[in-house]
Amino acid sequence: MALRIEVAHDIETCRATVPIQEEVWSGDVVVPPQLLLAVTHNGGFVALGHVDGDERPAGFVFGFLGIYDHHFRHHSHMLAVRAPHRRSGLAVALKEAQRDHCLDQGIDTIAWTMDPLEARNARFNFAKLGAFARTYGRDWYGEMPDKLNEGLPSDRLYIEWRIATDHADKRLRGADTVPTLDDAEREGVRYLLRADGDRPSAVGTVEDDSHLLVEIPDDFQLLKARDRGVGLAWRLAVREALEPAFAAGYAIVEHLRSPEHRRGAYLLVRQPRHPSPEETGEVMR
């Protein structure tokens, strides 16, 4: 299947993102094409993805320049692929084009937000791209009326992708073997949260483990459609698990799946702690 990336430089290309936005999210959260065009002419990036045999654009990506912790980085605000073309490799191709744009600007980090309960996005961000997350935001966007987010707090992970690393290169080329969830279980990695049927079990406590597992549903949208109360229970349980873990210095570095792809969990790793100036004796007096 031949894929083609078209970088946007004019209003017509930006306008072509609107039907994709409406199809994936609904008309309630559309970013206007005029704003997209302004972004492209001021350091940002908009690109369409095309698949041979389909006259309509199959996906798009949109991001803009930002400053985080006193450093420039690129914030990727939207990535969408229409349902018939998911698993075609188009999402990776769009991210590669965005990565090339940022590397040409001398930027080494792309960041974005994601719903921590969306397993498909988790697999893409951590396993396919090699990103990580160490920040959790409660109800980040407030109430959202679109079909993917309506009715629940819009909690988000803040994803960071270090694009100028060997790790990112290997993941994009598929040259890095990702362990399975069964591998982690055999190694005795402890669950901070796991499923009990369709519902989350009680959340464990963060102690001094080097690694932790946090299970999420395999298809959250299907589960939420069946029972909105169970969806809310998962939202609150994952929040209760990840917030203290991040505060204790852990980061999500993988989304692991069982070989039969029926279960999935985040793999959290405790990050190295950097000593304070007081501890190193470097405090100026």
Side-chain angles (χ1 to χ4, degrees):
M1 181 183 296
L3 308 175
R4 179 173 60 88
I5 304 301
E6 177 187 6
V7 178
H9 299 292
D10 57 48
I11 190 64
E12 291 306 319
T13 310
C14 293
R15 189 174 286 124
T17 70
V18 173
I20 308 172
Q21 295 185 57
E22 292 175 336
E23 182 175 331
V24 173
W25 289 287
S26 74
D28 299 297
V29 293
V30 168
V31 176
Q34 295 82 5
L35 177 58
L36 296 179
L37 182 64
V39 168
T40 65
H41 285 276
N42 288 277
F45 186 72
V46 177
L48 296 174
H50 299 271
V51 175
D52 276 3
D54 191 336
E55 295 181 355
R56 296 189 298 157
F60 81 101
V61 65
F62 156 50
F64 49 85
L65 279 168
I67 298 175
Y68 185 88
D69 197 21
H70 307 293
H71 292 86
F72 284 107
R73 64 173 43 179
H74 184 95
H75 184 81
S76 184
H77 187 59
M78 283 179 158
L79 171 69
V81 174
R82 291 172 39 229
H85 301 297
R86 290 169 190 161
R87 300 183 180 178
S88 66
L90 182 61
V92 172
L94 286 165
K95 295 304 286 188
E96 286 184 306
Q98 187 180 37
R99 177 180 185 245
D100 291 344
H101 168 85
C102 293
L103 290 173
D104 286 345
Q105 291 181 320
I107 293 173
D108 62 7
T109 301
I110 301 177
W112 58 92
T113 60
M114 68 156 277
D115 187 330
L117 288 167
E118 293 289 353
R120 182 180 65 209
N121 293 348
R123 187 71 177 171
F124 177 74
N125 290 332
F126 299 108
K128 294 288 187 182
L129 301 181
F132 67 94
R134 53 184 173 173
T135 305
Y136 192 96
R138 290 191 183 196
D139 203 19
W140 187 256
Y141 294 111
E143 184 178 350
M144 300 182 72
D146 64 284
K147 60 186 178 183
L148 294 181
N149 297 287
E150 184 269 331
L152 291 178
S154 58
D155 289 20
R156 292 293 184 267
L157 294 174
Y158 185 65
I159 307 297
E160 299 176 75
W161 189 29
R162 301 287 170 78
I163 59 176
T165 62
D166 289 339
H167 181 59
D169 282 333
K170 288 180 179 179
R171 288 300 169 96
L172 286 169
R173 290 187 284 109
D176 215 359
T177 301
V178 180
T180 68
L181 183 55
D182 290 11
D183 292 333
E185 291 174 341
R186 280 192 292 269
E187 291 292 325
V189 180
R190 183 171 65 91
Y191 277 92
L192 193 58
L193 172 65
R194 70 181 313 171
D196 182 8
D198 282 344
R199 303 188 66 88
S201 63
V203 177
T205 58
V206 176
E207 297 174 1
D208 59 354
D209 308 73
S210 62
H211 298 68
L212 289 168
L213 292 169
V214 172
E215 188 169 356
I216 61 172
D218 186 60
D219 190 335
F220 179 63
Q221 292 299 326
L222 180 62
L223 182 151
K224 184 178 70 171
R226 289 200 306 259
D227 190 328
R228 183 63 57 83
V230 173
L232 179 59
W234 271 107
R235 171 69 80 224
L236 299 179
V238 169
R239 178 192 291 179
E240 185 182 347
L242 291 181
E243 283 185 330
F246 288 164
Y250 289 86
I252 297 173
V253 298
E254 297 283 6
H255 178 259
L256 307 180
R257 300 180 76 185
S258 61
E260 74 280 5
H261 293 179
R262 294 178 183 172
R263 298 182 300 123
Y266 291 121
L267 178 67
L268 283 68
V269 175
R270 188 186 289 276
Q271 303 301 288
R273 178 178 172 273
H274 299 291
S276 67
E278 290 85 355
E279 292 171 319
T280 60
E282 297 177 357
V283 178
M284 294 183 64
R285 302 184 185 279

